[in-house]
Amino acid sequence: MAPSTPPTRRPTLADVARASGVSVALASIVMRGTEGASEASRTKVKAAALELGYRPDSRARSLRSHHNRTVGVALLLGEPVHAELADALYAEAETRGYEIILGAIGGNRDERRVLNTLIDAGAEAIIGISPTLTAAQMAQVASQVPVVSLLRGYRQLPSVLTDEAAGIDELVAHLLHLGHRRLLHLDGGHAVAATQRRTAFERAVARSAGNVVGTVLGAGADESTTFDVLDAYLRETAAEKRATAVLAFNDRAALGARRAIDLAGLQVPGQIALTGFDDSEFARLSHADLTSVRQDVAALASAAMAAATSPGAASSRHAPHLVVRGSSATSKR
């Protein structure tokens, strides 16, 4: 019987130096990107490292320097805008010389456990995307490592926020310009930012001085609850009293709303307009063609990374912008 193949060990810097015919010290200079090596040496060392599959051991480097250039990011599985923000945070971290450790929150892994895992992994700071913990719980986490809250405001923490009210104001103004006067907001319930979006909608309607009828229905932040709520509304409300435009809490909720609208046999946007919030991948699907408010993902990620890597950083708020598509584009007669 042939002998079993021993497990492949991780290539070391000494292996790279040997393969490229230079000293370990010179190989280290090249891999660290510091001065002191010729271009010919750099080319040889980098080629050897690539061929051997060598990667610097960031954990060992951190132990030597006592400075771990990593930022933990806690995000919720299944939220498209969280995934977009994580991708943008990776880009920001790269430009600042940091690494990202992702912690995914889901049905089998709660937020507090994820944050504790990121702390145990040695993250220098943590960015929580739409955290749901109480202020006291977040303060306890922040007593161990700097914490930045992204998309939810905490008084005691640096918070990087979208101007939710500005986004809703743009949506309402867009729909009023199209001639809609009966508006329905599908509230996000207990979701982060639901209160701000609902309040902004109510204030926008109030500013119309009675020219607009605005209705708020408690729905939720996902497709199923929103479908149930809007389906019941469309079945139970007389056609002449129904809203002619629906503002869903987010794009996922808008998908559920669209299913209810289709089931009722109504045309979008001819008989009822539909809008979302976040301008996620759902909004951009050809069959959705959803008018939505786009959060400034690049600016949010940049501000969050800056806050995570700069002691004493201040909170910031960033303006979104409206992206108009076919779900609302036709004027209401």
Side-chain angles (χ1 to χ4, degrees), residues 139-186:
Q140 198 280 327
V141 175
S143 69
Q144 303 172 70
V145 63
V147 176
V148 176
S149 176
L150 179 52
L151 300 186
R152 181 185 177 187
Y154 290 89
R155 290 183 180 177
Q156 78 276 32
L157 297 177
S159 302
V160 178
L161 308 172
T162 288
D163 190 338
E164 308 284 354
I168 294 296
D169 286 348
E170 278 200 70
L171 272 180
V172 172
H174 167 66
L175 293 169
L176 294 184
H177 176 74
L178 294 175
H180 295 280
R181 293 298 180 266
R182 297 196 302 276
L183 309 181
L184 173 65
H185 175 55
L186 297 173

Side-chain angles (χ1 to χ4, degrees), residues 184-191 193-199 201-202 215-222 225-226 229 246-250 253:
L184 173 65
H185 175 55
L186 297 173
D187 176 46
H190 298 294
T195 299
Q196 292 90 330
R197 295 178 192 179
R198 179 181 65 251
T199 301
F201 173 78
E202 292 170 340
T215 303
V216 175
L217 286 183
D222 60 74
T225 55
T226 303
V229 168
V246 174
L247 296 81
F249 167 70
N250 63 10

Side-chain angles (χ1 to χ4, degrees), residues 71-95:
V71 174
V73 175
L75 77 166
L76 184 62
L77 289 172
E79 285 294 339
V81 71
H82 288 208
E84 288 189 39
L85 284 166
D87 191 42
L89 286 167
Y90 270 119
E92 282 295 323
E94 180 75 18
T95 64

Side-chain angles (χ1 to χ4, degrees), residues 273-315:
L274 177 64
T275 68
F277 205 111
D278 291 337
D279 192 37
S280 66
E281 60 186 23
F282 294 147
R284 303 166 210 158
L285 295 173
S286 59
H287 66 273
D289 199 21
L290 181 66
T291 293
S292 187
V293 174
R294 177 152 186 80
Q295 305 198 55
D296 193 338
V297 170
L300 291 166
S302 178
M305 276 300 300
T309 56
S310 304
S315 296

